Amino acid sequence: MLFNNIYSNKTVLITGHAGFKGSWLAFWLKQMGAKVVGYSLLPDTEKHLFKVLNLENTLDDSLIADIRENQKLETYFAKHNPDIVFHLAAQPIVRLSYSEPVETYETNIIGTLKVLEAARKTPSVKAFVNVTTDKCYENKEKKEGYKEDEPMGGYDIYSSSKGCSEILTSSYRRSFLTDGKPYALASGRAGNVIGGGDWAKDRLIPDCIKAFQQNETVFIRNPLATRPWQHVLEPLAGYLRLGQKLLEEGSKYAQGYNFGPEMNKDVKVCEVAQKVSEVWGNGKVEVGKADGLHEANLLQLNIEKAEKELGVKPVYSAEEAIIKTTEWYKAFYKNDTDMVDFTKKQINEFVANAQAKNIDWSL
């Protein structure tokens, strides 16, 4: 009875369903009996999880399109009449935002507004989860984790675009969604998400895997920086739990929530790379030269609100998350593993570990 079986036979629309997190979410929802439809661009990488999991042929519908195409987006909503929307479509890379600032803002802010509007024009929609990031906060690199009511900000264009998305979410809720009607709108802010099937550029573990697979050395730009590393299934469980509560109780949960690891459990970049190397076997890691672009050294989230109000707690330690992630890539590159079955197995292991820790997502 995961998430009170709320998603069984529900129509779930995911924007960004072809991306890394979106593919995991779509796959998990199908396992729970949901009707899953998706609207997304394809990742600009040679390999991507959407293809590995054959989601184009196993989801109920999939449209490859840009959320900035207003008419196409609204037509898709009207075609499928979703019960709930998970909005993940975004320009998600910090470093890319330096070279593509206009596209980043257009996608992450105006694109989000267009999705919110498409949902408001679709009477079937009762709940909406806007997925942002831990980087939405004005990061002063303090040791205490950021709470949900702290100021939005962002040094770089990507981070500030997500801070703006959070402000938009709050403003839109107060302007158009009185008492959670026509739908209840919340946001989910996750930490540094890792997991199998991510081949995006300028991400630590994908960069490690690419180098190790080719017997090359991976060079780490900012080895002592710490991040709230978490396995991809951790925030997805948070989003799904939040979506459940929005469907069941509406405006009570129409707020922002942080999903991340336990406080003071952050791990340095160099430690992550070394652990990936250890699990992979004989990977070479060296400190490289920084390129001058700003990168935060410390970022932590306070997750007490999600624990108290949603019952969402971390299942894996950072080390366990790194191991699970690296094992997924090892299985993939063996070329003899059914990755659909392997991914399903990792989801089942995650759920079993949550149950063993008495983490209850059922009610």
Side-chain angles (χ1 to χ4, degrees):
M1 294 293 290
L2 281 180
F3 311 108
N4 205 21
N5 209 30
I6 195 76
Y7 295 106
S8 179
N9 298 315
K10 287 283 194 307
T11 299
V12 182
L13 192 154
I14 303 172
T15 69
H17 72 292
F20 163 57
K21 286 170 71 176
S23 291
W24 274 96
L25 179 59
F27 186 78
W28 195 359
L29 279 163
K30 284 302 295 181
Q31 307 308 307
M32 292 188 285
K35 177 183 177 182
V36 181
V37 299
Y39 186 107
S40 176
L41 293 176
L42 287 174
D44 59 353
T45 53
E46 181 182 352
K47 300 180 181 67
H48 48 81
L49 187 61
F50 182 72
K51 183 177 180 180
V52 172
L53 297 180
N54 193 31
L55 291 176
E56 183 177 10
N57 297 314
T58 56
L59 298 186
D60 296 273
D61 193 30
S62 171
L63 179 63
I64 303 304
D66 194 316
I67 57 171
R68 294 173 291 179
E69 298 181 67
N70 200 50
Q71 189 57 54
K72 189 175 289 187
L73 182 67
E74 291 183 4
T75 299
Y76 197 72
F77 268 75
K79 174 183 177 182
H80 289 292
N81 294 305
D83 298 288
I84 182 171
V85 178
F86 289 96
H87 175 47
L88 282 75
Q91 191 296 92
I93 307 297
V94 171
R95 299 175 74 78
L96 182 59
S97 73
Y98 283 99
S99 60
E100 299 291 345
V102 174
E103 180 181 344
T104 300
Y105 260 59
E106 285 181 344
T107 302
N108 295 356
I109 303 170
I110 301 303
T112 295
L113 179 58
K114 290 182 176 182
V115 178
L116 290 167
E117 280 285 272
R120 190 159 67 99
K121 294 177 181 178
T122 309
S124 63
V125 177
K126 296 296 180 284
F128 189 120
V129 178
N130 181 24
V131 173
T132 64
T133 173
D134 58 339
K135 297 174 183 65
C136 66
Y137 294 104
E138 183 62 35
N139 185 15
K140 298 179 180 178
E141 303 204 8
K142 63 178 186 175
K143 293 183 179 179
E144 302 81 12
Y146 292 97
K147 296 182 179 180
E148 286 83 351
D149 59 356
E150 297 198 53
M152 297 293 108
Y155 183 101
D156 57 85
I157 291 295
Y158 166 77
S159 300
S160 65
S161 77
K162 286 298 191 175
C164 289
S165 180
E166 284 285 354
I167 294 170
L168 168 62
T169 301
S170 177
S171 174
Y172 197 91
R173 184 190 301 120
R174 288 179 290 182
S175 297
F176 302 116
L177 307 176
T178 305
D179 297 324
K181 295 182 180 180
Y183 61 83
L185 169 62
S187 62
R189 307 159 188 173
N192 276 51
V193 176
I194 61 176
D198 185 7
W199 281 279
K201 298 177 181 178
D202 295 319
R203 283 184 175 160
L204 179 59
I205 292 184
D207 284 350
C208 289
I209 297 300
K210 290 173 192 173
F212 299 163
Q213 173 64 15
Q214 297 171 12
N215 295 316
E216 296 176 352
T217 299
V218 66
F219 294 94
I220 307 301
R221 292 187 307 270
N222 198 5
L224 300 182
T226 61
R227 298 287 186 272
W229 308 99
Q230 58 184 155
H231 192 273
V232 63
L233 293 173
E234 304 273 14
L236 296 189
Y239 307 155
L240 289 165
R241 178 65 164 164
L242 180 53
Q244 172 203 339
K245 288 298 188 180
L246 292 173
L247 286 169
E248 292 175 341
E249 301 186 51
S251 61
K252 179 180 178 180
Y253 294 92
Q255 307 169 42
Y257 289 89
N258 290 338
F259 303 109
E262 295 178 20
M263 282 290 295
N264 300 315
K265 297 291 186 180
D266 291 6
V267 178
K268 293 181 177 64
V269 166
C270 59
E271 294 171 339
V272 174
Q274 290 294 346
K275 191 64 185 180
V276 175
S277 172
E278 175 188 320
V279 178
W280 183 268
N282 301 317
K284 299 176 183 177
V285 180
E286 293 184 13
V287 176
K289 183 179 180 180
D291 57 13
L293 297 181
H294 174 268
E295 291 185 86
N297 288 307
L298 176 65
L299 180 56
Q300 294 195 99
L301 291 177
N302 183 304
I303 59 171
E304 291 177 359
K305 181 180 177 182
E307 290 183 337
K308 181 179 179 180
E309 297 184 12
L310 301 175
V312 175
K313 301 177 182 179
V315 175
Y316 288 147
S317 66
E319 181 177 3
E320 290 171 322
I322 296 164
I323 292 171
K324 294 291 184 183
T325 299
T326 309
E327 287 177 343
W328 192 99
Y329 287 108
K330 287 184 71 174
F332 175 82
Y333 283 108
K334 280 183 178 178
N335 294 318
D336 62 356
T337 304
D338 185 324
M339 294 310 298
V340 170
D341 286 346
F342 192 88
T343 303
K344 191 181 301 183
K345 176 186 173 185
Q346 286 208 326
I347 291 174
N348 292 337
E349 289 172 345
F350 178 76
V351 171
N353 273 271
Q355 293 171 340
K357 293 183 177 182
N358 295 315
I359 299 172
D360 187 2
W361 302 318
S362 61
L363 299 175

PDB file of all heavy atoms in Angstrom, residues 52-69:
ATOM      1  N   VAL A  52      16.973   3.514 -22.132  1.00  0.00           N
ATOM      2  CA  VAL A  52      17.393   2.274 -21.470  1.00  0.00           C
ATOM      3  C   VAL A  52      16.194   1.513 -20.922  1.00  0.00           C
ATOM      4  O   VAL A  52      16.117   0.279 -21.030  1.00  0.00           O
ATOM      5  CB  VAL A  52      18.396   2.585 -20.342  1.00  0.00           C
ATOM      6  CG1 VAL A  52      18.688   1.329 -19.510  1.00  0.00           C
ATOM      7  CG2 VAL A  52      19.697   3.148 -20.904  1.00  0.00           C
ATOM      8  N   LEU A  53      15.226   2.243 -20.349  1.00  0.00           N
ATOM      9  CA  LEU A  53      14.052   1.610 -19.740  1.00  0.00           C
ATOM     10  C   LEU A  53      12.902   1.421 -20.728  1.00  0.00           C
ATOM     11  O   LEU A  53      11.822   0.968 -20.344  1.00  0.00           O
ATOM     12  CB  LEU A  53      13.572   2.433 -18.543  1.00  0.00           C
ATOM     13  CG  LEU A  53      14.563   2.564 -17.380  1.00  0.00           C
ATOM     14  CD1 LEU A  53      13.953   3.413 -16.265  1.00  0.00           C
ATOM     15  CD2 LEU A  53      14.985   1.198 -16.847  1.00  0.00           C
ATOM     16  N   ASN A  54      13.133   1.785 -22.004  1.00  0.00           N
ATOM     17  CA  ASN A  54      12.125   1.617 -23.052  1.00  0.00           C
ATOM     18  C   ASN A  54      10.804   2.304 -22.684  1.00  0.00           C
ATOM     19  O   ASN A  54       9.714   1.793 -22.960  1.00  0.00           O
ATOM     20  CB  ASN A  54      11.869   0.121 -23.310  1.00  0.00           C
ATOM     21  CG  ASN A  54      11.069  -0.124 -24.590  1.00  0.00           C
ATOM     22  OD1 ASN A  54      11.168   0.638 -25.557  1.00  0.00           O
ATOM     23  ND2 ASN A  54      10.260  -1.165 -24.594  1.00  0.00           N
ATOM     24  N   LEU A  55      10.903   3.482 -22.076  1.00  0.00           N
ATOM     25  CA  LEU A  55       9.708   4.158 -21.593  1.00  0.00           C
ATOM     26  C   LEU A  55       8.823   4.680 -22.728  1.00  0.00           C
ATOM     27  O   LEU A  55       7.610   4.808 -22.562  1.00  0.00           O
ATOM     28  CB  LEU A  55      10.104   5.304 -20.659  1.00  0.00           C
ATOM     29  CG  LEU A  55      10.697   4.860 -19.322  1.00  0.00           C
ATOM     30  CD1 LEU A  55      11.150   6.071 -18.512  1.00  0.00           C
ATOM     31  CD2 LEU A  55       9.686   4.042 -18.523  1.00  0.00           C
ATOM     32  N   GLU A  56       9.416   4.958 -23.866  1.00  0.00           N
ATOM     33  CA  GLU A  56       8.615   5.428 -24.992  1.00  0.00           C
ATOM     34  C   GLU A  56       7.527   4.424 -25.354  1.00  0.00           C
ATOM     35  O   GLU A  56       6.431   4.797 -25.775  1.00  0.00           O
ATOM     36  CB  GLU A  56       9.508   5.695 -26.207  1.00  0.00           C
ATOM     37  CG  GLU A  56       8.745   6.257 -27.401  1.00  0.00           C
ATOM     38  CD  GLU A  56       9.652   6.588 -28.572  1.00  0.00           C
ATOM     39  OE1 GLU A  56      10.844   6.216 -28.544  1.00  0.00           O
ATOM     40  OE2 GLU A  56       9.166   7.215 -29.522  1.00  0.00           O
ATOM     41  N   ASN A  57       7.829   3.147 -25.157  1.00  0.00           N
ATOM     42  CA  ASN A  57       6.882   2.089 -25.530  1.00  0.00           C
ATOM     43  C   ASN A  57       6.107   1.520 -24.356  1.00  0.00           C
ATOM     44  O   ASN A  57       5.187   0.718 -24.569  1.00  0.00           O
ATOM     45  CB  ASN A  57       7.636   0.955 -26.235  1.00  0.00           C
ATOM     46  CG  ASN A  57       8.272   1.408 -27.530  1.00  0.00           C
ATOM     47  OD1 ASN A  57       7.649   2.083 -28.325  1.00  0.00           O
ATOM     48  ND2 ASN A  57       9.535   1.038 -27.738  1.00  0.00           N
ATOM     49  N   THR A  58       6.435   1.917 -23.135  1.00  0.00           N
ATOM     50  CA  THR A  58       5.753   1.339 -21.980  1.00  0.00           C
ATOM     51  C   THR A  58       4.884   2.345 -21.227  1.00  0.00           C
ATOM     52  O   THR A  58       4.012   1.939 -20.453  1.00  0.00           O
ATOM     53  CB  THR A  58       6.762   0.714 -20.995  1.00  0.00           C
ATOM     54  OG1 THR A  58       7.727   1.696 -20.612  1.00  0.00           O
ATOM     55  CG2 THR A  58       7.477  -0.467 -21.626  1.00  0.00           C
ATOM     56  N   LEU A  59       5.114   3.641 -21.429  1.00  0.00           N
ATOM     57  CA  LEU A  59       4.220   4.632 -20.830  1.00  0.00           C
ATOM     58  C   LEU A  59       2.921   4.697 -21.626  1.00  0.00           C
ATOM     59  O   LEU A  59       2.840   4.248 -22.763  1.00  0.00           O
ATOM     60  CB  LEU A  59       4.890   6.001 -20.787  1.00  0.00           C
ATOM     61  CG  LEU A  59       6.175   6.111 -19.957  1.00  0.00           C
ATOM     62  CD1 LEU A  59       6.644   7.560 -19.899  1.00  0.00           C
ATOM     63  CD2 LEU A  59       5.990   5.559 -18.556  1.00  0.00           C
ATOM     64  N   ASP A  60       1.912   5.304 -21.031  1.00  0.00           N
ATOM     65  CA  ASP A  60       0.612   5.378 -21.690  1.00  0.00           C
ATOM     66  C   ASP A  60       0.612   6.382 -22.829  1.00  0.00           C
ATOM     67  O   ASP A  60      -0.163   6.255 -23.780  1.00  0.00           O
ATOM     68  CB  ASP A  60      -0.461   5.714 -20.656  1.00  0.00           C
ATOM     69  CG  ASP A  60      -0.598   4.593 -19.628  1.00  0.00           C
ATOM     70  OD1 ASP A  60      -1.358   3.648 -19.880  1.00  0.00           O
ATOM     71  OD2 ASP A  60       0.092   4.647 -18.592  1.00  0.00           O
ATOM     72  N   ASP A  61       1.458   7.398 -22.722  1.00  0.00           N
ATOM     73  CA  ASP A  61       1.670   8.316 -23.836  1.00  0.00           C
ATOM     74  C   ASP A  61       2.922   9.129 -23.536  1.00  0.00           C
ATOM     75  O   ASP A  61       3.275   9.356 -22.368  1.00  0.00           O
ATOM     76  CB  ASP A  61       0.474   9.253 -24.039  1.00  0.00           C
ATOM     77  CG  ASP A  61       0.543   9.979 -25.380  1.00  0.00           C
ATOM     78  OD1 ASP A  61       1.106   9.408 -26.334  1.00  0.00           O
ATOM     79  OD2 ASP A  61       0.034  11.112 -25.470  1.00  0.00           O
ATOM     80  N   SER A  62       3.592   9.560 -24.595  1.00  0.00           N
ATOM     81  CA  SER A  62       4.819  10.330 -24.441  1.00  0.00           C
ATOM     82  C   SER A  62       4.925  11.305 -25.603  1.00  0.00           C
ATOM     83  O   SER A  62       4.883  10.895 -26.760  1.00  0.00           O
ATOM     84  CB  SER A  62       6.038   9.390 -24.429  1.00  0.00           C
ATOM     85  OG  SER A  62       7.240  10.128 -24.488  1.00  0.00           O
ATOM     86  N   LEU A  63       5.049  12.596 -25.277  1.00  0.00           N
ATOM     87  CA  LEU A  63       5.206  13.605 -26.316  1.00  0.00           C
ATOM     88  C   LEU A  63       6.540  14.318 -26.113  1.00  0.00           C
ATOM     89  O   LEU A  63       6.819  14.827 -25.025  1.00  0.00           O
ATOM     90  CB  LEU A  63       4.069  14.630 -26.257  1.00  0.00           C
ATOM     91  CG  LEU A  63       4.131  15.753 -27.298  1.00  0.00           C
ATOM     92  CD1 LEU A  63       4.009  15.184 -28.712  1.00  0.00           C
ATOM     93  CD2 LEU A  63       3.028  16.790 -27.048  1.00  0.00           C
ATOM     94  N   ILE A  64       7.356  14.316 -27.146  1.00  0.00           N
ATOM     95  CA  ILE A  64       8.638  15.020 -27.105  1.00  0.00           C
ATOM     96  C   ILE A  64       8.395  16.443 -27.608  1.00  0.00           C
ATOM     97  O   ILE A  64       8.190  16.668 -28.804  1.00  0.00           O
ATOM     98  CB  ILE A  64       9.699  14.300 -27.951  1.00  0.00           C
ATOM     99  CG1 ILE A  64       9.855  12.852 -27.471  1.00  0.00           C
ATOM    100  CG2 ILE A  64      11.025  15.047 -27.881  1.00  0.00           C
ATOM    101  CD1 ILE A  64      10.202  12.691 -26.006  1.00  0.00           C
ATOM    102  N   ALA A  65       8.393  17.396 -26.667  1.00  0.00           N
ATOM    103  CA  ALA A  65       8.087  18.783 -27.000  1.00  0.00           C
ATOM    104  C   ALA A  65       8.596  19.690 -25.895  1.00  0.00           C
ATOM    105  O   ALA A  65       8.934  19.242 -24.799  1.00  0.00           O
ATOM    106  CB  ALA A  65       6.583  18.962 -27.193  1.00  0.00           C
ATOM    107  N   ASP A  66       8.631  20.974 -26.181  1.00  0.00           N
ATOM    108  CA  ASP A  66       9.157  21.998 -25.280  1.00  0.00           C
ATOM    109  C   ASP A  66       8.017  22.618 -24.475  1.00  0.00           C
ATOM    110  O   ASP A  66       6.977  22.988 -25.051  1.00  0.00           O
ATOM    111  CB  ASP A  66       9.866  23.072 -26.118  1.00  0.00           C
ATOM    112  CG  ASP A  66      10.743  23.994 -25.295  1.00  0.00           C
ATOM    113  OD1 ASP A  66      10.310  24.439 -24.222  1.00  0.00           O
ATOM    114  OD2 ASP A  66      11.877  24.279 -25.743  1.00  0.00           O
ATOM    115  N   ILE A  67       8.203  22.763 -23.152  1.00  0.00           N
ATOM    116  CA  ILE A  67       7.140  23.339 -22.318  1.00  0.00           C
ATOM    117  C   ILE A  67       6.871  24.799 -22.657  1.00  0.00           C
ATOM    118  O   ILE A  67       5.841  25.350 -22.247  1.00  0.00           O
ATOM    119  CB  ILE A  67       7.444  23.205 -20.810  1.00  0.00           C
ATOM    120  CG1 ILE A  67       8.781  23.862 -20.453  1.00  0.00           C
ATOM    121  CG2 ILE A  67       7.393  21.756 -20.378  1.00  0.00           C
ATOM    122  CD1 ILE A  67       9.037  23.949 -18.954  1.00  0.00           C
ATOM    123  N   ARG A  68       7.758  25.431 -23.408  1.00  0.00           N
ATOM    124  CA  ARG A  68       7.526  26.824 -23.805  1.00  0.00           C
ATOM    125  C   ARG A  68       6.555  26.939 -24.976  1.00  0.00           C
ATOM    126  O   ARG A  68       6.109  28.034 -25.304  1.00  0.00           O
ATOM    127  CB  ARG A  68       8.861  27.485 -24.154  1.00  0.00           C
ATOM    128  CG  ARG A  68       9.786  27.637 -22.951  1.00  0.00           C
ATOM    129  CD  ARG A  68      11.156  28.124 -23.348  1.00  0.00           C
ATOM    130  NE  ARG A  68      11.898  27.119 -24.111  1.00  0.00           N
ATOM    131  CZ  ARG A  68      13.118  27.305 -24.595  1.00  0.00           C
ATOM    132  NH1 ARG A  68      13.730  28.466 -24.408  1.00  0.00           N
ATOM    133  NH2 ARG A  68      13.728  26.335 -25.263  1.00  0.00           N
ATOM    134  N   GLU A  69       6.212  25.791 -25.600  1.00  0.00           N
ATOM    135  CA  GLU A  69       5.236  25.779 -26.700  1.00  0.00           C
ATOM    136  C   GLU A  69       3.830  25.722 -26.111  1.00  0.00           C
ATOM    137  O   GLU A  69       3.263  24.654 -25.892  1.00  0.00           O
ATOM    138  CB  GLU A  69       5.489  24.589 -27.613  1.00  0.00           C
ATOM    139  CG  GLU A  69       6.851  24.622 -28.292  1.00  0.00           C
ATOM    140  CD  GLU A  69       7.060  23.432 -29.208  1.00  0.00           C
ATOM    141  OE1 GLU A  69       6.348  23.341 -30.231  1.00  0.00           O
ATOM    142  OE2 GLU A  69       7.916  22.596 -28.907  1.00  0.00           O
TER     143      GLU A  69
END
